[in-house]
Amino acid sequence: MPDRVSQLTRTRPAPCLIASPLLVLTLLNLIPASIAGAQGGKTEVFPVQKAAPATVFIEAPGSETDLRRQLRAKNGVSELSSSTSVIRFSVAPTGSFGFITPNLLGMALITRSPDLSIEQVPPVSNAFEIHKLADGSGMLVGFVEASLKPQLTTSERPKSVRLGLYSNPSEKAPHIVAVPLVKLVVDRMPIRLNPKEPGSAVLFDMDLQSTANRTSSQTGP
């Protein structure tokens, strides 16, 4: 009888020895599936966003030619190649500037057109200047009244600013400024100050949006 009990005692661990390899095999089978799920799982890729460029304001007085030169130097832009007469903003080289007529600019901003046609040489005397910065952002150049400086140069702009942008300088609007295209909201076409003169300076009323949400995936209007 003791021998029989001893034999039964020695044979009981066998199921445990068999179960252990089965457990290991089961775990090994589960691990690759987990890894595959992690590697092949669906991930959402968000579009790359960048901050809209800050408004640039030149306070120093000067002639129109000198003010434009100062602003171009500050924005790091140079003239388009002489071989380029008209080019789309999207394919224009970064770090360059061009010009656009008031009517084409007005239609593009009102319709939120994704691209602009800019020219190397001003097509008209009241053309607006467009800067394409090194990061591809677009800036609209014009002249404003001195009273707008505090609202335009502040780092935090909680509310939108109603802005009157002139194509050319005057006693009323002597300061040159560059505003980010992606922050402009326009609901009307620009108007000539002297309707009888086609080349008269142009006034463009627009809203410069607040800095509360300055990120945008666009590089143009």
Side-chain angles (χ1 to χ4, degrees):
M1 184 67 177
D3 292 339
R4 181 178 178 82
V5 172
S6 177
Q7 290 176 358
L8 291 174
T9 303
R10 286 196 297 268
T11 57
R12 283 177 182 174
C16 296
L17 295 175
I18 296 173
S20 296
L22 289 176
L23 180 61
V24 172
L25 289 174
T26 302
L27 291 175
L28 289 176
N29 288 333
L30 290 175
I31 290 173
S34 301
I35 295 175
Q39 292 178 342
K42 183 179 179 181
T43 58
E44 185 175 359
V45 179
F46 294 96
V48 177
Q49 294 186 333
K50 61 183 177 182
T55 298
V56 180
F57 188 101
I58 302 295
E59 188 174 8
S63 65
E64 180 176 354
T65 300
D66 184 53
L67 291 175
R68 289 186 184 275
R69 186 183 299 115
Q70 290 184 54
L71 186 60
R72 292 164 187 166
K74 195 161 188 177
N75 280 343
V77 295
S78 56
E79 189 178 30
L80 286 168
S81 170
S82 58
S83 61
T84 303
S85 56
V86 181
I87 190 172
R88 305 296 293 181
F89 180 87
S90 59
V91 296
T94 56
S96 64
F97 70 88
F99 301 89
I100 186 171
T101 65
N103 283 341
L104 288 179
L105 176 63
M107 288 188 290
L109 292 180
I110 289 175
T111 60
R112 304 300 296 169
S113 172
D115 214 348
L116 297 171
S117 292
I118 57 176
E119 303 184 39
Q120 182 208 19
V121 179
V124 290
S125 59
N126 54 13
F128 280 93
E129 187 170 326
I130 302 291
H131 290 185
K132 186 171 184 178
L133 306 185
D135 66 353
S137 299
M139 303 286 280
L140 173 61
V141 176
F143 295 83
V144 296
E145 299 177 15
S147 60
L148 285 172
K149 180 191 173 183
Q151 302 174 67
L152 296 178
T153 57
T154 179
S155 59
E156 295 295 332
R157 191 170 54 252
K159 297 181 180 180
S160 296
V161 175
R162 190 62 177 175
L163 174 67
L165 194 68
Y166 294 82
S167 59
N168 305 87
S170 65
E171 291 185 5
K172 185 178 181 180
H175 297 290
I176 194 169
V177 66
V179 291
L181 283 168
V182 295
K183 282 295 182 179
L184 299 179
V185 177
V186 176
D187 58 6
R188 65 189 65 185
M189 292 289 288
I191 57 173
R192 290 199 305 269
L193 298 183
N194 187 345
K196 295 181 179 180
E197 291 187 18
S200 169
V202 169
L203 171 60
F204 204 172
D205 288 317
M206 58 189 68
D207 289 313
L208 180 62
Q209 293 178 311
S210 71
T211 57
N213 180 15
R214 292 183 57 187
T215 58
S216 174
S217 59
Q218 294 178 301
T219 58

Coordinates of all heavy atoms in Angstrom, one line a residue, residues 140-217:
L140 N 0.9 91.1 -47.0 CA 0.4 92.2 -47.8 C 0.9 93.5 -47.3 O 0.9 93.8 -46.1 CB -1.2 92.2 -47.8 CG -1.8 93.4 -48.5 CD1 -1.5 93.4 -50.0 CD2 -3.4 93.3 -48.3
V141 N 1.5 94.3 -48.2 CA 2.1 95.5 -47.8 C 1.2 96.7 -48.2 O 0.6 96.7 -49.3 CB 3.5 95.7 -48.6 CG1 4.1 97.0 -48.3 CG2 4.4 94.5 -48.2
G142 N 1.2 97.7 -47.3 CA 0.4 98.9 -47.6 C 0.8 100.0 -46.6 O 1.8 99.8 -45.8
F143 N 0.1 101.1 -46.6 CA 0.3 102.2 -45.7 C -0.9 102.5 -44.8 O -2.0 102.4 -45.2 CB 0.7 103.4 -46.5 CG 2.0 103.2 -47.3 CD1 2.0 102.6 -48.5 CD2 3.2 103.7 -46.8 CE1 3.2 102.4 -49.2 CE2 4.4 103.5 -47.5 CZ 4.4 102.9 -48.7
V144 N -0.6 102.8 -43.5 CA -1.6 103.0 -42.6 C -1.4 104.3 -41.8 O -0.4 104.9 -41.8 CB -1.7 101.8 -41.6 CG1 -2.0 100.6 -42.3 CG2 -0.4 101.7 -40.8
E145 N -2.5 104.7 -41.1 CA -2.4 105.9 -40.2 C -1.6 105.6 -38.9 O -1.6 104.4 -38.5 CB -3.9 106.3 -39.8 CG -4.7 106.7 -41.0 CD -6.1 107.0 -40.6 OE1 -6.4 107.2 -39.4 OE2 -7.0 107.0 -41.4
A146 N -1.0 106.6 -38.4 CA -0.2 106.4 -37.2 C -1.0 105.9 -36.0 O -0.4 105.2 -35.1 CB 0.5 107.7 -36.8
S147 N -2.3 106.2 -35.9 CA -3.1 105.8 -34.8 C -3.3 104.3 -34.7 O -3.6 103.8 -33.6 CB -4.5 106.5 -34.9 OG -5.1 106.1 -36.1
L148 N -3.0 103.6 -35.8 CA -3.2 102.1 -35.8 C -2.0 101.4 -35.2 O -2.1 100.1 -34.9 CB -3.4 101.6 -37.2 CG -4.8 101.9 -37.7 CD1 -4.9 101.5 -39.2 CD2 -5.9 101.1 -37.0
K149 N -0.9 102.0 -35.0 CA 0.3 101.3 -34.5 C 0.1 100.5 -33.3 O 0.5 99.3 -33.2 CB 1.5 102.4 -34.3 CG 2.8 101.7 -33.8 CD 3.8 102.7 -33.3 CE 5.0 101.9 -32.7 NZ 6.0 102.8 -32.2
P150 N -0.5 101.0 -32.2 CA -0.6 100.2 -31.0 C -1.4 98.9 -31.2 O -1.1 97.9 -30.6 CB -1.4 101.2 -30.0 CG -1.1 102.5 -30.5 CD -1.0 102.4 -32.0
Q151 N -2.4 99.0 -32.1 CA -3.2 97.8 -32.3 C -2.5 96.8 -33.2 O -2.8 95.6 -33.1 CB -4.5 98.2 -32.9 CG -5.3 99.2 -32.1 CD -6.6 99.7 -32.8 OE1 -7.5 98.9 -33.1 NE2 -6.6 101.0 -33.2
L152 N -1.7 97.3 -34.1 CA -1.0 96.4 -35.0 C 0.3 95.8 -34.5 O 0.6 94.6 -34.8 CB -0.7 97.1 -36.3 CG -1.9 97.7 -37.1 CD1 -1.4 98.5 -38.3 CD2 -2.8 96.5 -37.6
T153 N 1.0 96.5 -33.6 CA 2.3 96.0 -33.1 C 2.2 95.2 -31.8 O 3.2 94.6 -31.4 CB 3.2 97.2 -32.9 OG1 2.6 98.1 -32.0 CG2 3.5 97.9 -34.2
T154 N 1.0 95.2 -31.2 CA 0.9 94.4 -29.9 C 1.1 92.9 -30.2 O 0.6 92.4 -31.2 CB -0.4 94.7 -29.2 OG1 -0.5 93.9 -28.1 CG2 -1.6 94.3 -30.2
S155 N 1.8 92.2 -29.3 CA 2.0 90.8 -29.4 C 0.7 90.0 -29.2 O 0.5 88.9 -29.7 CB 3.1 90.3 -28.5 OG 2.7 90.5 -27.1
E156 N -0.2 90.5 -28.4 CA -1.5 89.9 -28.2 C -2.6 90.8 -28.6 O -2.8 91.9 -28.1 CB -1.7 89.5 -26.7 CG -0.6 88.5 -26.2 CD -0.8 87.1 -26.8 OE1 -2.0 86.8 -27.2 OE2 0.2 86.4 -27.0
R157 N -3.4 90.3 -29.6 CA -4.5 91.1 -30.1 C -5.8 90.4 -29.9 O -6.2 89.5 -30.6 CB -4.3 91.4 -31.6 CG -5.2 92.4 -32.3 CD -4.8 92.8 -33.7 NE -4.7 91.6 -34.5 CZ -3.5 91.2 -35.0 NH1 -2.4 91.8 -34.6 NH2 -3.4 90.1 -35.8
P158 N -6.5 90.7 -28.8 CA -7.7 89.9 -28.4 C -8.8 90.0 -29.3 O -9.7 89.1 -29.4 CB -8.0 90.4 -27.0 CG -7.5 91.8 -27.0 CD -6.2 91.7 -27.8
K159 N -8.9 91.1 -30.0 CA -10.0 91.3 -30.9 C -9.5 91.7 -32.3 O -8.4 92.1 -32.5 CB -10.9 92.5 -30.4 CG -11.6 92.2 -29.1 CD -12.5 93.3 -28.7 CE -13.2 93.0 -27.3 NZ -14.1 94.2 -26.9
S160 N -10.4 91.5 -33.3 CA -10.0 91.9 -34.7 C -9.9 93.4 -34.8 O -10.6 94.1 -34.1 CB -11.1 91.4 -35.7 OG -11.1 90.0 -35.7
V161 N -9.1 93.9 -35.7 CA -8.8 95.3 -35.9 C -9.4 95.7 -37.3 O -9.0 95.0 -38.3 CB -7.3 95.6 -35.8 CG1 -7.1 97.1 -36.1 CG2 -6.8 95.3 -34.4
R162 N -10.2 96.7 -37.3 CA -10.6 97.2 -38.6 C -9.5 98.1 -39.2 O -9.0 99.0 -38.5 CB -11.9 98.1 -38.4 CG -12.6 98.4 -39.8 CD -13.0 97.2 -40.5 NE -13.7 97.6 -41.8 CZ -14.1 96.7 -42.7 NH1 -13.9 95.4 -42.5 NH2 -14.7 97.0 -43.8
L163 N -9.1 97.7 -40.3 CA -7.9 98.3 -40.9 C -8.1 98.9 -42.3 O -8.7 98.3 -43.1 CB -6.8 97.2 -41.0 CG -5.5 97.5 -41.7 CD1 -4.7 98.5 -40.9 CD2 -4.7 96.2 -41.9
G164 N -7.7 100.2 -42.4 CA -7.7 100.8 -43.7 C -6.3 100.8 -44.3 O -5.4 101.5 -43.8
L165 N -6.1 100.0 -45.3 CA -4.8 99.8 -45.9 C -4.7 100.6 -47.2 O -5.5 100.3 -48.2 CB -4.5 98.4 -46.1 CG -3.0 98.0 -46.4 CD1 -2.1 98.2 -45.2 CD2 -2.9 96.5 -46.8
Y166 N -3.8 101.5 -47.3 CA -3.6 102.3 -48.6 C -2.5 101.8 -49.4 O -1.5 101.3 -48.9 CB -3.3 103.8 -48.2 CG -4.4 104.5 -47.5 CD1 -4.6 104.4 -46.1 CD2 -5.2 105.4 -48.2 CE1 -5.6 105.0 -45.4 CE2 -6.3 106.1 -47.5 CZ -6.4 105.9 -46.2 OH -7.4 106.6 -45.5
S167 N -2.7 101.9 -50.7 CA -1.6 101.4 -51.7 C -0.4 102.2 -51.7 O 0.7 101.8 -52.0 CB -2.2 101.2 -53.1 OG -2.7 102.5 -53.5
N168 N -0.6 103.5 -51.4 CA 0.5 104.5 -51.4 C 0.5 105.4 -50.2 O -0.5 105.5 -49.6 CB 0.4 105.3 -52.7 CG 0.4 104.5 -54.0 OD1 -0.7 104.1 -54.4 ND2 1.5 104.3 -54.6
P169 N 1.7 105.9 -49.8 CA 1.7 106.8 -48.6 C 1.1 108.2 -48.9 O 1.0 108.6 -50.0 CB 3.2 106.9 -48.4 CG 3.8 106.8 -49.7 CD 3.0 105.8 -50.5
S170 N 0.7 108.8 -47.8 CA 0.1 110.1 -47.8 C 0.3 110.7 -46.4 O 0.8 110.1 -45.5 CB -1.4 110.1 -48.2 OG -2.1 109.4 -47.2
E171 N -0.1 112.0 -46.3 CA 0.0 112.6 -45.0 C -0.9 111.9 -44.0 O -0.5 111.8 -42.8 CB -0.4 114.1 -45.1 CG 0.6 115.0 -45.8 CD 0.2 116.4 -45.8 OE1 -0.8 116.8 -45.1 OE2 0.9 117.2 -46.5
K172 N -2.0 111.4 -44.4 CA -2.9 110.7 -43.5 C -2.4 109.3 -43.2 O -2.6 108.8 -42.1 CB -4.3 110.6 -44.2 CG -5.4 110.0 -43.3 CD -6.7 110.0 -44.0 CE -7.8 109.4 -43.1 NZ -9.1 109.4 -43.8
A173 N -1.7 108.7 -44.1 CA -1.3 107.3 -43.9 C 0.2 107.2 -44.3 O 0.6 106.8 -45.4 CB -2.1 106.3 -44.7
P174 N 1.1 107.6 -43.4 CA 2.5 107.7 -43.8 C 3.4 106.5 -43.4 O 4.5 106.4 -43.9 CB 3.0 108.9 -42.9 CG 2.2 108.8 -41.7 CD 0.8 108.3 -42.1
H175 N 2.8 105.5 -42.7 CA 3.6 104.4 -42.2 C 3.4 103.1 -43.0 O 2.2 102.8 -43.3 CB 3.3 104.1 -40.7 CG 3.6 105.3 -39.8 ND1 4.9 105.6 -39.5 CD2 2.8 106.1 -39.1 CE1 4.9 106.6 -38.7 NE2 3.6 107.0 -38.4
I176 N 4.5 102.5 -43.4 CA 4.4 101.3 -44.2 C 4.2 100.1 -43.2 O 4.8 100.1 -42.1 CB 5.6 101.1 -45.1 CG1 5.4 100.0 -46.1 CG2 6.9 100.8 -44.3 CD1 6.4 100.0 -47.2
V177 N 3.5 99.1 -43.6 CA 3.2 97.9 -42.8 C 3.0 96.7 -43.7 O 2.7 96.8 -44.8 CB 1.9 98.2 -42.0 CG1 0.7 98.3 -42.9 CG2 1.7 97.1 -40.9
A178 N 3.3 95.5 -43.1 CA 3.1 94.3 -43.7 C 2.2 93.4 -42.8 O 2.6 93.2 -41.7 CB 4.4 93.5 -44.0
V179 N 1.1 93.0 -43.3 CA 0.1 92.2 -42.5 C 0.0 90.8 -43.1 O 0.0 90.6 -44.4 CB -1.2 92.9 -42.5 CG1 -1.2 94.2 -41.6 CG2 -1.8 93.2 -43.8
P180 N -0.2 89.8 -42.3 CA -0.3 88.4 -42.8 C -1.6 88.2 -43.6 O -2.7 88.5 -43.1 CB -0.3 87.5 -41.5 CG -0.7 88.5 -40.4 CD -0.2 89.8 -40.8
L181 N -1.4 87.6 -44.8 CA -2.6 87.4 -45.6 C -3.6 86.4 -45.0 O -4.8 86.6 -45.2 CB -2.1 86.8 -47.0 CG -1.5 87.8 -48.0 CD1 -0.8 87.0 -49.1 CD2 -2.6 88.7 -48.5
V182 N -3.1 85.4 -44.3 CA -4.1 84.4 -43.7 C -4.9 85.0 -42.6 O -5.9 84.4 -42.1 CB -3.3 83.2 -43.2 CG1 -2.6 82.5 -44.3 CG2 -2.3 83.6 -42.1
K183 N -4.6 86.2 -42.1 CA -5.3 86.8 -41.0 C -6.3 87.9 -41.5 O -6.9 88.6 -40.7 CB -4.3 87.5 -40.0 CG -3.7 86.4 -39.1 CD -4.8 85.8 -38.2 CE -4.2 84.8 -37.2 NZ -5.3 84.2 -36.3
L184 N -6.4 88.1 -42.8 CA -7.2 89.2 -43.4 C -8.6 88.7 -43.8 O -8.7 87.6 -44.4 CB -6.5 89.8 -44.6 CG -5.2 90.5 -44.3 CD1 -4.6 91.0 -45.6 CD2 -5.3 91.5 -43.3
V185 N -9.6 89.4 -43.4 CA -11.0 89.1 -43.8 C -11.5 90.3 -44.5 O -11.5 91.4 -44.0 CB -11.9 88.8 -42.6 CG1 -13.3 88.6 -43.0 CG2 -11.3 87.6 -41.8
V186 N -12.0 90.1 -45.8 CA -12.4 91.2 -46.6 C -13.8 91.0 -47.1 O -14.1 89.9 -47.5 CB -11.4 91.4 -47.8 CG1 -11.9 92.5 -48.8 CG2 -10.0 91.7 -47.3
D187 N -14.6 92.0 -47.1 CA -16.0 91.9 -47.6 C -16.4 92.9 -48.7 O -17.5 93.0 -49.1 CB -17.0 92.0 -46.5 CG -16.9 93.3 -45.7 OD1 -16.1 94.2 -46.1 OD2 -17.6 93.4 -44.6
R188 N -15.4 93.7 -49.1 CA -15.6 94.7 -50.1 C -14.4 95.0 -51.0 O -13.3 94.7 -50.5 CB -16.1 96.0 -49.5 CG -15.1 96.7 -48.6 CD -15.7 97.9 -47.9 NE -16.7 97.4 -46.9 CZ -17.5 98.2 -46.2 NH1 -17.4 99.5 -46.3 NH2 -18.3 97.7 -45.3
M189 N -14.6 95.4 -52.2 CA -13.5 95.7 -53.1 C -12.8 97.0 -52.7 O -13.4 97.9 -52.0 CB -14.0 95.8 -54.5 CG -14.4 94.5 -55.1 SD -13.1 93.3 -55.4 CE -12.3 94.1 -56.8
P190 N -11.5 97.2 -53.0 CA -10.8 98.5 -52.7 C -11.4 99.6 -53.6 O -11.9 99.3 -54.6 CB -9.4 98.2 -53.1 CG -9.4 97.0 -54.0 CD -10.6 96.2 -53.6
I191 N -11.2 100.8 -53.1 CA -11.8 102.0 -53.8 C -10.7 103.0 -54.1 O -9.8 103.2 -53.3 CB -12.9 102.6 -53.0 CG1 -12.4 103.1 -51.6 CG2 -14.1 101.7 -52.9 CD1 -13.5 103.9 -50.9
R192 N -10.7 103.6 -55.2 CA -9.8 104.7 -55.6 C -10.1 106.0 -54.8 O -11.3 106.4 -54.7 CB -9.7 105.0 -57.1 CG -9.1 103.8 -57.9 CD -8.7 104.3 -59.3 NE -9.8 105.0 -60.0 CZ -10.6 104.3 -60.8 NH1 -10.4 103.0 -61.0 NH2 -11.6 105.0 -61.4
L193 N -9.1 106.6 -54.3 CA -9.4 107.9 -53.6 C -9.9 109.0 -54.5 O -10.7 109.8 -54.1 CB -8.1 108.3 -52.8 CG -7.6 107.4 -51.7 CD1 -6.4 108.0 -51.1 CD2 -8.7 107.0 -50.7
N194 N -9.4 108.9 -55.7 CA -9.9 109.8 -56.8 C -10.4 109.0 -57.9 O -9.7 108.5 -58.8 CB -8.7 110.7 -57.3 CG -9.2 111.8 -58.2 OD1 -10.3 111.8 -58.7 ND2 -8.3 112.8 -58.5
P195 N -11.8 108.8 -58.0 CA -12.4 108.0 -59.0 C -12.1 108.4 -60.4 O -12.1 107.5 -61.3 CB -13.9 108.1 -58.7 CG -14.0 108.6 -57.3 CD -12.7 109.5 -57.1
K196 N -11.7 109.6 -60.6 CA -11.5 110.1 -62.0 C -10.1 109.8 -62.5 O -9.8 109.9 -63.7 CB -11.7 111.6 -62.1 CG -13.1 112.0 -61.8 CD -13.3 113.5 -61.9 CE -14.7 114.0 -61.7 NZ -14.9 115.4 -61.8
E197 N -9.2 109.4 -61.6 CA -7.8 109.0 -61.9 C -7.6 107.5 -61.8 O -7.6 107.0 -60.6 CB -6.8 109.8 -61.1 CG -6.8 111.3 -61.4 CD -5.7 112.0 -60.6 OE1 -4.7 111.3 -60.2 OE2 -5.7 113.2 -60.5
P198 N -7.3 106.8 -62.9 CA -7.1 105.3 -62.8 C -5.9 104.9 -61.9 O -6.0 103.9 -61.2 CB -6.9 104.9 -64.2 CG -7.5 106.0 -65.0 CD -7.4 107.3 -64.2
G199 N -4.9 105.8 -61.8 CA -3.7 105.5 -61.1 C -3.8 106.1 -59.7 O -2.7 106.1 -59.0
S200 N -4.9 106.6 -59.2 CA -5.0 107.2 -57.9 C -4.8 106.1 -56.8 O -5.0 104.9 -57.0 CB -6.4 107.8 -57.7 OG -6.7 108.1 -56.4
A201 N -4.3 106.6 -55.7 CA -4.1 105.7 -54.5 C -5.4 105.0 -54.2 O -6.5 105.6 -54.3 CB -3.5 106.5 -53.4
V202 N -5.2 103.8 -53.7 CA -6.4 103.0 -53.4 C -6.5 102.7 -51.9 O -5.5 102.5 -51.2 CB -6.3 101.6 -54.1 CG1 -7.3 100.6 -53.6 CG2 -6.4 101.8 -55.6
L203 N -7.7 102.7 -51.3 CA -8.0 102.4 -49.9 C -8.7 101.0 -49.9 O -9.7 100.8 -50.6 CB -8.9 103.5 -49.3 CG -9.4 103.1 -47.9 CD1 -8.3 102.9 -46.9 CD2 -10.4 104.2 -47.4
F204 N -8.1 100.1 -49.1 CA -8.7 98.8 -48.9 C -9.0 98.6 -47.5 O -8.2 98.5 -46.6 CB -7.6 97.8 -49.4 CG -8.2 96.5 -49.8 CD1 -7.3 95.5 -50.4 CD2 -9.5 96.2 -49.7 CE1 -7.8 94.3 -50.9 CE2 -10.0 95.0 -50.2 CZ -9.2 94.0 -50.7
D205 N -10.4 98.5 -47.2 CA -10.8 98.3 -45.8 C -10.9 96.8 -45.6 O -11.4 96.0 -46.4 CB -12.2 98.9 -45.6 CG -12.2 100.4 -45.5 OD1 -11.3 100.9 -44.8 OD2 -13.0 101.1 -46.2
M206 N -10.4 96.4 -44.4 CA -10.4 94.9 -44.1 C -10.3 94.7 -42.6 O -10.1 95.7 -41.8 CB -9.1 94.3 -44.7 CG -7.8 94.9 -44.3 SD -6.4 94.3 -45.3 CE -6.8 95.0 -46.9
D207 N -10.5 93.5 -42.2 CA -10.4 93.1 -40.7 C -9.1 92.3 -40.6 O -8.9 91.3 -41.3 CB -11.6 92.4 -40.3 CG -12.8 93.2 -40.1 OD1 -12.7 94.3 -39.6 OD2 -13.9 92.8 -40.6
L208 N -8.3 92.7 -39.6 CA -7.1 91.9 -39.2 C -7.5 91.1 -38.0 O -7.8 91.6 -37.0 CB -5.9 92.8 -38.9 CG -4.6 92.1 -38.5 CD1 -4.1 91.2 -39.6 CD2 -3.6 93.1 -38.1
Q209 N -7.6 89.7 -38.2 CA -8.1 88.9 -37.1 C -7.2 88.9 -35.9 O -6.0 89.2 -35.9 CB -8.3 87.5 -37.6 CG -9.3 87.3 -38.7 CD -9.4 85.9 -39.2 OE1 -8.4 85.3 -39.5 NE2 -10.6 85.3 -39.2
S210 N -7.8 88.5 -34.8 CA -7.1 88.5 -33.5 C -6.0 87.5 -33.5 O -5.9 86.6 -34.3 CB -8.1 88.2 -32.3 OG -8.5 86.8 -32.4
T211 N -5.1 87.6 -32.5 CA -4.0 86.6 -32.3 C -4.4 85.4 -31.4 O -3.5 84.6 -31.1 CB -2.8 87.3 -31.7 OG1 -3.1 87.9 -30.5 CG2 -2.2 88.4 -32.7
A212 N -5.6 85.3 -31.1 CA -6.1 84.3 -30.2 C -5.8 82.9 -30.8 O -5.4 82.0 -30.1 CB -7.6 84.4 -29.9
N213 N -5.9 82.8 -32.1 CA -5.6 81.5 -32.8 C -4.8 81.9 -34.0 O -5.3 82.1 -35.1 CB -6.9 80.8 -33.2 CG -6.5 79.5 -33.9 OD1 -5.4 79.0 -33.9 ND2 -7.5 78.9 -34.6
R214 N -3.4 81.9 -33.8 CA -2.6 82.4 -34.8 C -2.0 81.3 -35.7 O -1.2 81.5 -36.6 CB -1.4 83.2 -34.2 CG -1.8 84.5 -33.6 CD -0.6 85.3 -33.1 NE 0.3 85.5 -34.2 CZ 1.5 86.0 -34.0 NH1 1.9 86.3 -32.8 NH2 2.4 86.2 -35.0
T215 N -2.4 80.0 -35.5 CA -1.9 79.0 -36.3 C -2.7 78.8 -37.5 O -3.9 78.9 -37.5 CB -1.8 77.6 -35.5 OG1 -3.2 77.3 -35.0 CG2 -0.9 77.7 -34.3
S216 N -2.1 78.4 -38.6 CA -2.8 78.2 -39.9 C -1.9 77.3 -40.7 O -0.7 77.3 -40.7 CB -3.0 79.5 -40.6 OG -3.6 79.3 -41.9
S217 N -2.6 76.4 -41.5 CA -1.9 75.5 -42.4 C -1.8 76.1 -43.8 O -1.3 75.5 -44.7 CB -2.7 74.2 -42.5 OG -4.0 74.4 -42.9

